[in-house]
Amino acid sequence: MESSMGSGSIRRAAGALFRGVVSGAPAPTGTFTDVPITSAVHPTAAASGPVPAVRGGAGRTVTARYALTRTAAALAGTAVLLPPLLLAAPAHADEKPKDGKGGQHVPKAPAPPAEMSKVGGGLLGQAGTQVRLKAGAPKLPDDLTARSWIVSDAESGKVLASHNAHWQLPPASTLKMLFADTVLPKFPKNQKYTVKPADLAGMGDGSSLVGIKENLSYTVHDLWLGVFLRSGNDAVHTLSAMNGGTAKTVQEMQKQAEALNATDTHVVTPDGYDAPGQVSSAYDLSLFARAGLQNADFREYCSTASAQFPGEVKDGKRGSFGIQNTNRLLSGDYDVKPYPGIAGVKNGSTTNAGSTFTGVAQRGERKLLVTVMNPEKKEHNEAYKETAKLFDWGFAAADKVEPVGRLVGPKSEEGDARAGGAKLDGDKARAGMQDASGGSGGAWTALAITGGALVLLGGLALAVHRRWPLPELMRRRGGRH
């Protein structure tokens, strides 16, 4: 495992471990990119060059395009004592391996474990690409570089294709979907909360922020817009404070992951900021998205492209500023167009995680979920570009492939998936699983879940598709065509 890392990576890992031990807090091993931060830029940013300004918040936001880089040469000699998880961590974003011509070692790309979870089906636990094409099925795109990805039917849960689906990797801000699954149902959206200075303490250096100010009040609705549109760690920490604190929230998130049968996930921070030991998988992130989409408020927030956010008080009046969703398949960018039919869900980017994204989109009556984690190709918006390619493939291939597995339901419906309580892809009773109502045609019900419960009767599994209303925003964007 050591041979796959350069000495610089080992020194940085040692430094991260040292800082975490000394401070008693997660080490600032990761940074968020393409996200707003307050104008009080962390001093380490200066070492990486200029930080260009972007619109929003009356000039109070800038774009964070830097990486926190520190050297821990004093601990380099102790690298052999580092835990395997740290040794296996991806290189920092500022490390640019040379081509070897100058004699510098070129680190090998990390490889997925030989043994991974088989939750959802045995094929999903195998390394590499898993797909079962029927006659006439389109081939998968040949230029996918993500370390892990999965394409699934959002309603039935059928997995159409996957690549290292259960590889445990840093999730970045896509972990905020689990945060929302855990905390969002607890507070009414019109509840107001006055932010205390302590609520904003403990955020990692370079965190993405929406611009929350202490001693000002915000509605829960405001805070969730900050979480979903700007991936605001300040909004996450404020909601965590309302929920009893960060430690309590992390514990509840871990319990929620377990309740959803998301067995690859270990939660350390509520906002997804890089921390030793914090991992999830493309499979689990798809479970979090699918669970969240049962909630109408979750659907509203994750499908909102832009909104007004409360600003500071001047001359006795509360101002506001515009915020835009950093999900580029929803809001677009100079090199990425909004994807037709997109309705969320969440993106992320940190040093260790690279770029991560889970999206949901509809074409006709079909709804697909795609999760992409850490493309090796480091081009601008690459995660969105690969997601769009997988959406295109999935919509074209959905009826021309045999499922390679499925997204399991929560423990409350089908027990512990690891213990065999859930039937997997080899179960003939689930092969070609159909909607118990006779198909997916017709209007969607206004309920968050129609049926949705999995009933095990005499060993026969009867499944009902999960449905949710299409957000009005996505209807206006021409999602149904």
Side-chain angles (χ1 to χ4, degrees):
M1 188 175 299
E2 274 187 60
S3 64
S4 66
M5 298 183 63
S7 60
S9 299
I10 295 176
R11 287 196 298 270
R12 285 176 173 83
L17 178 63
F18 176 80
R19 290 192 299 275
V21 171
V22 172
S23 66
T29 58
T31 60
F32 290 75
T33 60
D34 290 328
V35 290
I37 62 173
T38 60
S39 56
V41 180
H42 193 276
T44 54
S48 298
V51 182
V54 295
R55 288 178 291 179
R60 287 187 294 276
T61 63
V62 294
T63 298
R65 286 186 177 275
Y66 63 89
L68 300 179
T69 307
R70 297 180 182 176
T71 304
L75 290 182
T78 65
V80 294
L81 301 179
L82 293 177
L85 181 60
L86 283 178
L87 287 174
H92 284 253
D94 62 331
E95 294 177 3
K96 299 178 181 179
K98 302 291 180 62
D99 58 8
K101 294 180 180 180
Q104 181 174 337
H105 172 66
V106 179
K108 296 180 180 179
E115 293 290 332
M116 291 181 283
S117 169
K118 292 180 173 57
V119 169
L123 288 177
L124 299 180
Q126 297 182 16
T129 301
Q130 307 300 325
V131 64
R132 297 194 289 189
L133 302 175
K134 297 179 182 178
K139 294 181 179 180
L140 282 163
D142 58 7
D143 53 353
L144 300 174
T145 69
R147 291 179 179 173
S148 176
W149 55 259
I150 187 170
V151 183
S152 56
D153 186 291
E155 287 190 349
S156 69
K158 296 177 186 177
V159 176
L160 308 184
S162 70
H163 181 76
N164 302 326
H166 281 290
W167 192 358
Q168 293 177 290
L169 297 167
S173 286
T174 45
L175 193 65
K176 288 182 171 75
M177 294 186 294
L178 176 61
F179 174 75
D181 290 346
T182 306
V183 179
L184 194 152
K186 293 190 174 187
F187 305 106
K189 59 170 55 179
N190 60 351
Q191 180 177 336
K192 291 185 177 181
Y193 180 77
T194 300
V195 180
K196 304 175 183 65
D199 299 341
L200 302 179
M203 290 185 292
D205 293 335
S207 281
S208 50
L209 307 175
V210 67
I212 290 173
K213 303 297 182 182
E214 59 189 48
N215 301 320
L216 292 181
S217 66
Y218 299 84
T219 64
V220 168
H221 178 76
D222 295 329
L223 296 173
W224 282 113
L225 286 174
V227 170
F228 277 95
L229 273 67
R230 300 307 297 172
S231 205
N233 289 4
D234 48 354
V236 170
H237 279 253
T238 299
L239 286 162
S240 295
M242 294 176 63
N243 190 50
T246 298
K248 177 176 180 288
T249 300
V250 166
Q251 291 177 353
E252 291 181 354
M253 288 173 65
Q254 188 64 55
K255 290 181 180 179
Q256 179 70 6
E258 294 169 359
L260 292 174
N261 269 319
T263 60
D264 299 322
T265 299
H266 179 65
V267 184
V268 179
T269 68
D271 49 28
Y273 190 91
D274 283 339
Q278 181 153 273
V279 292
S280 190
S281 67
Y283 184 90
D284 282 9
L285 293 176
S286 296
L287 291 183
F288 301 152
R290 194 173 183 227
L293 288 165
Q294 313 304 312
N295 184 301
D297 290 336
F298 185 106
R299 295 193 299 272
E300 174 192 347
Y301 297 131
C302 79
S303 65
T304 299
S306 62
Q308 288 295 118
F309 194 81
E312 299 183 66
V313 178
K314 293 183 179 180
D315 299 325
K317 294 183 179 180
R318 186 79 180 268
S320 66
F321 57 91
I323 57 175
Q324 187 181 55
N325 202 313
T326 54
N327 172 357
R328 303 306 183 192
L329 290 189
L330 185 67
S331 59
D333 203 354
Y334 72 86
D335 58 345
V336 175
K337 295 181 180 179
Y339 191 83
I342 193 73
V345 228
K346 192 69 189 75
N347 57 309
S349 179
T350 69
T351 300
N352 287 343
S355 294
T356 60
F357 180 63
T358 297
V360 63
Q362 178 175 359
R363 185 171 297 177
E365 293 300 321
R366 191 178 302 282
K367 282 74 67 178
L368 296 182
L369 276 170
V370 172
T371 295
V372 165
M373 300 187 76
N374 200 350
E376 297 287 349
K377 189 177 182 181
K378 301 304 180 185
E379 290 192 3
H380 188 248
N381 286 327
E382 182 62 24
Y384 303 108
K385 295 173 183 176
E386 295 193 16
T387 297
K389 292 174 183 177
L390 286 169
F391 269 132
D392 286 345
W393 175 85
F395 285 121
D399 294 322
K400 301 174 182 178
V401 296
E402 291 289 345
V404 296
R406 69 182 181 91
L407 301 180
V408 298
K411 285 184 178 180
S412 61
E413 295 180 0
E414 52 184 292
D416 189 335
R418 292 171 298 185
K423 301 293 183 181
L424 304 182
D425 60 288
D427 188 343
K428 293 182 180 180
R430 287 192 186 276
M433 184 169 55
Q434 298 295 321
D435 187 349
S437 64
S440 59
W444 288 3
T445 175
L447 297 177
I449 303 176
T450 299
L454 186 74
V455 181
L456 298 179
L457 181 61
L460 179 63
L462 302 177
V464 179
H465 281 193
R466 296 170 180 273
R467 295 180 173 184
W468 54 85
L470 188 67
E472 186 61 28
L473 171 67
M474 205 260 276
R475 294 182 192 273
R476 295 198 301 269
R477 296 182 70 89
R480 300 173 70 91
H481 63 276

